[in-house]
Amino acid sequence: MNNQLENNLTEKIIKDETNDRWFTGSEIRSDVEIVRDELTKLHIGLGDTVLVCLPNSAAYPAITQAIWEVGANMHPIAATTPKKELQAELNDHDYVASIVKDDLVDAVIDEHLVSVSNLSLQTAPELKLIRDRHIIGHDAQIPNEDDLALIMNTSGTTGKPKRVGLTHKILVNAVKHDIKSHKMTPSDTTLLVMPMFHINAQAVSILSTRLSGGKLVIANKFSASKFWDQVRNNQVTWVSVVPTIVNILLINKKANESYSDDIKLRFVRSSSFALPMDKLTAFQTRFHTQILEGYGMTETASQCTINPFDAPKVGSAGKPFETDVRIMVDGKIADEPNQIGEIVVRGDHVISSYMDPHPESFEDGWLLTGDLGYFDEDGYLFVKDRKKDIINHGGEKVAPAQVENSLSQLDFVNEVSVVGTPDDLYGEAVTAVVITSDHQDEDLKRQRILEHAKETLAGYEQPTRVIFVNDYPRNATGKVIRLKLREQVISTLVGKGA
């Protein structure tokens, strides 16, 4: 991927929308060298892990490239990660260094013995590289294809994220498949609106664009009111989003007012959960572009299926692309169509193990996704539900146990169960179902819960609905029956017209 920089030294290849500035290959290359030289000086090299906690910016690709050039690997996490959660992450794993903005320096240092370096980059002038002196580093060395490149978090049902380790080989294979399936060329420009700690941003948008030779426009975050101006002004040809963004663009008044027919998008790529047929059709009609829906996950470094340009099937996740995707029923691969079972995958871009032991997630070379679905007679995949309890809130994966552990800290909360309930905008709402020990006003208790969540949880983990009940449906041993609880909550919401 370094070739993209060397072959475009005078060309504008990456734009930072926040600063309204394009950067040439030479300018990005200069920032790469600054970070790389500092990493080398601090004895950070082959096999070392660098934690990156930053908002979206043009500095991200430069930092990633520098980390890879010394043979280290990068673990990006959300810029909104609460300080306590950040400190827990640093204490749980051996990060030789962290790269953050000024406001997180104290949280990273905590009680560690560190050195702090200033990274004065053209793409981001005020970043800090914090070296943990307790951890022995390694010499800088060019990595091979089987060395680790990225560590990504993916939520687990226990509330503790699974760590996915992606090698250079896995990433390159995944990105090559993305380029082929999306017909990317050097003439393409993509607008990145997804957070950079997601595989969607890292692989589908950044790496595929770099390998295909296209241009990259980086927004700090998605803005409905700015979206179509960003697309028009930068001659963007495609965008990768989640269904929540599609829904927002449809209903947002400023977005609709700023759209004009001179905008020429080749396609909008949407994944995470299926769009209802009326929303997909309405978007394509209103904004004169094609939506391509697909299915993928962090463990596959991107997509497994995608709808073909010339034969999309609304409601489906498309057909397998350079990936072996099957349905497993009662422990056996089902060959007949329309059999609902667990979606299992394997391929040259699919992990064979997690960084921490999770043998239950693999069987006979297959990655067990935990998602339920089926193939129709034409070979299109339809994703129906999840075996696991993870809540999909606008593309963010929320582990109920994580939220429950936080809310249980409140003295008036006897029990709390968190479930996902249908939401037109976000796919699923994070719904806290609470049993309390007092008779305070419910509005007051709800306010205290939401305030506590804001202090202790990342933005996407915070409950969007809080419901009070006297008890839960339970089995013979007293364990909460989540599926039945979810059904009861949905029934209550429907009755109230929520």
Side-chain angles (χ1 to χ4, degrees):
M1 278 170 278
N2 186 40
N3 289 338
Q4 191 222 14
L5 301 181
E6 301 301 335
N7 296 337
N8 295 279
L9 292 177
T10 60
E11 293 290 323
K12 296 175 179 178
I13 60 171
I14 297 178
K15 183 183 182 184
D16 193 313
E17 272 293 294
T18 302
N19 301 321
D20 192 27
R21 178 180 172 184
W22 279 96
F23 295 93
T24 64
S26 177
E27 290 170 324
I28 298 295
R29 179 73 248 171
S30 175
D31 278 0
V32 171
E33 291 171 354
I34 290 171
V35 179
R36 184 196 62 199
D37 291 348
E38 191 64 27
L39 293 171
T40 302
K41 185 175 74 174
L42 293 172
H43 201 58
I44 299 172
L46 188 65
D48 293 328
T49 302
V50 179
L51 185 79
V52 176
C53 185
L54 296 172
N56 286 12
S57 78
Y60 236 115
I63 290 169
T64 306
Q65 180 73 35
I67 290 171
W68 289 347
E69 287 189 9
V70 300
N73 57 80
M74 179 177 74
H75 185 178
I77 64 173
T80 58
T81 300
K83 292 182 180 181
K84 288 183 179 179
E85 193 174 318
L86 172 60
Q87 290 167 343
E89 181 74 37
L90 290 168
N91 290 331
D92 286 347
H93 304 289
D94 290 335
Y95 296 102
V96 70
S98 304
I99 298 178
V100 299
K101 295 185 74 172
D102 285 339
D103 59 338
L104 286 179
V105 171
D106 290 341
V108 173
I109 293 175
D110 198 20
E111 297 179 356
H112 297 270
L113 177 63
V114 304
S115 63
V116 181
S117 304
N118 293 314
L119 294 177
S120 184
L121 310 179
Q122 295 181 74
T123 51
E126 296 179 356
L127 299 183
K128 296 293 189 292
L129 172 58
I130 304 172
R131 173 70 161 93
D132 190 328
R133 291 298 181 181
H134 284 119
I135 299 175
I136 298 174
H138 298 83
D139 291 332
Q141 190 173 325
I142 297 174
N144 65 46
E145 62 179 15
D146 292 319
D147 285 324
L148 203 58
L150 272 180
I151 298 175
M152 311 289 284
N153 285 349
T154 183
S155 296
T157 56
T158 63
K160 190 174 181 63
K162 293 179 180 177
R163 296 193 307 147
V164 177
L166 301 173
T167 65
H168 291 276
K169 183 178 181 179
I170 284 176
L171 282 174
V172 169
N173 289 337
V175 168
K176 285 181 176 178
H177 302 331
D178 288 342
I179 292 170
K180 184 178 178 181
S181 64
H182 293 80
K183 300 180 181 180
M184 298 180 197
T185 74
S187 300
D188 278 314
T189 299
T190 188
L191 171 64
L192 191 155
V193 296
M194 300 294 290
M196 287 189 172
F197 66 92
H198 271 198
I199 194 63
N200 190 305
Q202 287 292 334
V204 179
S205 295
I206 299 176
L207 296 183
S208 62
T209 297
R210 292 192 60 192
L211 270 183
S212 63
K215 292 180 171 60
L216 183 65
V217 178
I218 299 173
N220 175 260
K221 60 183 178 180
F222 168 71
S223 167
S225 61
K226 297 177 181 177
F227 182 83
W228 291 116
D229 288 335
Q230 292 170 334
V231 170
R232 178 191 301 103
N233 296 340
N234 296 299
Q235 298 180 308
V236 170
T237 58
W238 69 274
V239 189
S240 183
V241 302
V242 291
T244 301
I245 289 177
V246 171
N247 291 335
I248 291 173
L249 289 172
L250 274 173
I251 64 177
N252 185 274
K253 182 179 179 181
K254 289 185 177 179
N256 277 272
E257 289 175 347
S258 63
Y259 176 80
S260 57
D261 290 341
D262 59 336
I263 291 172
K264 304 296 181 184
L265 278 180
R266 286 204 300 119
F267 65 92
V268 171
R269 182 188 185 278
S270 178
S271 60
S272 185
F273 58 91
L275 275 164
M277 183 181 294
D278 60 334
K279 297 289 179 62
L280 186 147
T281 303
F283 188 92
Q284 292 186 151
T285 301
R286 172 68 184 92
F287 299 120
H288 308 295
T289 190
Q290 183 174 10
I291 289 181
L292 292 183
E293 293 191 283
Y295 171 78
M297 53 201 306
T298 306
E299 291 89 335
T300 65
S302 182
Q303 70 182 17
C304 298
T305 68
I306 190 76
N307 266 282
F309 276 97
D310 57 351
K313 184 171 285 193
V314 175
S316 82
K319 293 184 174 183
F321 193 91
E322 302 291 346
T323 314
D324 200 356
V325 184
R326 301 291 184 89
I327 301 299
M328 184 175 286
V329 180
D330 297 328
K332 296 181 180 179
I333 299 299
D335 295 321
E336 298 297 320
N338 299 311
Q339 293 191 64
I340 293 181
E342 182 169 10
I343 301 169
V344 299
V345 299
R346 64 185 180 186
D348 62 6
H349 61 105
V350 181
I351 65 169
S352 57
S353 64
Y354 287 97
M355 296 193 68
D356 309 301
H358 290 284
E360 74 284 355
S361 298
F362 301 89
E363 186 173 326
D364 297 330
W366 295 97
L367 169 65
L368 311 181
T369 68
D371 293 320
L372 299 176
Y374 68 91
F375 282 102
D376 70 4
E377 295 86 349
D378 300 319
Y380 287 79
L381 177 68
F382 287 78
V383 183
K384 301 304 294 179
D385 209 338
R386 284 185 299 282
K387 288 175 65 177
K388 45 199 174 184
D389 295 326
I390 294 302
I391 298 167
N392 192 331
H393 181 69
E396 303 279 10
K397 303 300 190 296
V398 180
Q402 177 88 349
V403 185
E404 291 165 358
N405 291 340
S406 167
L407 302 188
S408 294
Q409 297 169 8
L410 291 166
D411 55 6
F412 62 88
V413 172
N414 272 1
E415 288 187 75
V416 55
S417 288
V418 174
V419 296
T421 55
D423 185 280
D424 288 342
L425 191 57
Y426 290 98
E428 286 186 303
V430 182
T431 304
V433 188
V434 185
I435 300 173
T436 64
S437 59
D438 60 32
H439 301 286
Q440 290 183 41
D441 178 72
E442 285 192 357
D443 288 339
L444 179 60
K445 289 187 287 189
R446 183 176 287 107
Q447 181 180 347
R448 288 184 62 189
I449 287 171
L450 296 177
E451 288 174 351
H452 180 77
K454 190 173 183 179
E455 293 174 358
T456 58
L457 296 168
Y460 62 90
E461 294 174 321
Q462 296 168 22
T464 48
R465 290 175 180 153
V466 178
I467 296 173
F468 297 97
V469 298
N470 295 321
D471 200 0
Y472 306 126
R474 303 177 189 269
N475 62 18
T477 63
K479 185 177 180 180
V480 178
I481 306 173
R482 285 184 179 272
L483 182 58
K484 194 168 184 179
L485 174 62
R486 181 175 183 270
E487 290 173 351
Q488 289 182 1
V489 170
I490 292 172
S491 178
T492 300
L493 291 172
V494 170
K496 292 180 178 178

